[in-house]
Amino acid sequence: MIRRVLFGLVLLLAVMPRIVHAQDCAPNMLQLSSQGSDASVADNPLLHFSTAFTFECWAIRDSSVGRGPLLLKRGTVAPYGLELRGDSVVGFVEQDSTRIEITAEVSNITTWHHYALLFRASDSLYLVVDSTDVAAVATRSSAIAVSSGALLIGADTSGVSLLGAMDDIRLWNIGRTASALRSTVSRVLQGSEVGLVAYYSADDDIGSARLHDFSRHHLDATLSGGGIAVVTSSSPVTTRSPGFQIDALERLVDLGVRRCSPSFDTVIHIRNM
């Protein structure tokens, strides 16, 4: 009898759809508190940028000592990446088997800053901090190297992690301008903006094991390691993502009873994307 009950319980758990819990009323962020932790995105052709891209995010370090990776595309030769190194921010791309690197000092790197790495072939590689151009270096006419490795957020291939936090992580297949960055720097996106490839607002359930991609391309990031978690945000982004993305295994949404506004109605929009 006990075996039958246990078997029935296991079977029930196996077929039950996972439940997406409603996000908290406050915006959330991604926190990394120990080495060897990261968020990884499986390789996808959308992440193979050729002649232009922009990576941007809010980030804060616990200390200015050592390195704090923000983004790295894995590969035998890494195509692109951005990290905090000491009191500086460093970005690079790989073109024609040559690494083009750019560096800029950052004042008070242990406070929140908005970082952006912009690339345009036959033009320049730019570093933008807090919506201000801080450095530029000439680029070649060729496309960026391509790799089949995963995209790492908050870590690199050696196991070094950013000890701090990140928020509102965005990848574009266009080279945005400083003014365009400035126009959306402190608010969440709708997810349908032209050129947006991946968008991790980190407004997932607190304790979630993944970051949803709110760009509608479903390039979700998986969290791994014991020191990475979605927590209540302290970043300058004061708005939160407008909705959920539900995959085939997530047919239930727990909206909860907590009210985030004085409205008496809960409106649910279901869209076939």
Side-chain angles (χ1 to χ4, degrees):
M1 179 65 180
I2 295 177
R3 290 182 180 177
R4 291 180 180 177
V5 171
L6 290 176
F7 177 77
L9 179 60
V10 171
L11 182 62
L12 177 63
L13 292 175
V15 299
M16 281 182 62
R18 292 177 296 175
I19 298 177
V20 182
H21 294 279
Q23 300 162 17
D24 199 357
C25 297
N28 296 328
M29 68 180 185
L30 183 67
Q31 183 180 66
L32 296 101
S33 57
S34 66
Q35 301 292 355
S37 301
D38 65 64
S40 63
V41 183
D43 182 48
N44 187 285
L46 291 172
L47 300 174
H48 300 173
F49 303 111
S50 55
T51 58
F53 79 82
T54 299
F55 165 68
E56 57 173 311
C57 72
W58 283 94
I60 185 172
R61 295 191 69 184
D62 293 340
S63 168
S64 61
V65 177
R67 296 169 42 240
L70 299 178
L71 177 95
L72 180 70
K73 186 65 165 64
R74 299 187 65 161
T76 305
V77 176
Y80 52 87
L82 183 68
E83 72 174 28
L84 304 180
R85 189 182 301 170
D87 288 315
S88 300
V89 56
V90 182
F92 74 89
V93 295
E94 184 81 15
Q95 283 185 294
D96 294 333
S97 301
T98 300
R99 174 173 287 201
I100 300 174
E101 191 170 280
I102 187 170
T103 305
E105 291 188 3
V106 179
S107 177
N108 299 321
I109 204 165
T110 55
T111 60
W112 282 103
H113 291 284
H114 185 263
Y115 299 99
L117 180 67
L118 286 68
F119 166 77
R120 300 188 191 98
S122 301
D123 183 354
S124 296
L125 181 67
Y126 300 88
L127 278 175
V128 182
V129 178
D130 297 328
S131 303
T132 300
D133 291 319
V134 294
V137 61
T139 56
R140 305 185 179 195
S141 60
S142 58
I144 299 174
V146 174
S147 81
S148 59
L151 179 74
L152 298 179
I153 298 172
D156 65 12
T157 54
S158 67
V160 175
S161 302
L162 169 74
L163 299 183
M166 300 176 68
D167 197 14
D168 227 53
I169 303 159
R170 310 169 180 181
L171 286 93
W172 308 73
N173 60 15
I174 55 176
R176 303 190 80 201
T177 63
S179 60
L181 291 169
R182 192 178 304 114
S183 67
T184 59
V185 70
S186 295
R187 63 176 177 84
V188 297
L189 304 176
Q190 291 298 311
S192 57
E193 287 79 358
V194 175
L196 186 63
V197 170
Y199 179 36
Y200 309 100
S201 68
D203 289 337
D204 294 277
D205 234 7
I206 289 181
S208 174
R210 65 175 172 170
L211 297 180
H212 280 91
D213 170 20
F214 284 90
S215 76
R216 304 177 183 178
H217 290 134
H218 308 293
L219 302 180
D220 291 355
T222 302
L223 309 189
S224 61
I228 186 168
V230 175
V231 300
T232 300
S233 179
S234 63
S235 84
V237 181
T238 56
T239 57
R240 66 186 184 94
S241 295
F244 299 94
Q245 291 198 18
I246 306 174
D247 66 24
L249 295 178
E250 297 174 332
R251 300 186 181 91
L252 301 178
V253 179
D254 177 11
L255 294 175
V257 296
R258 183 176 177 183
R259 289 178 181 166
C260 300
S261 70
S263 173
F264 291 96
D265 297 323
T266 297
V267 180
I268 302 175
H269 298 278
I270 300 178
R271 299 173 181 171
N272 183 5
M273 298 182 293

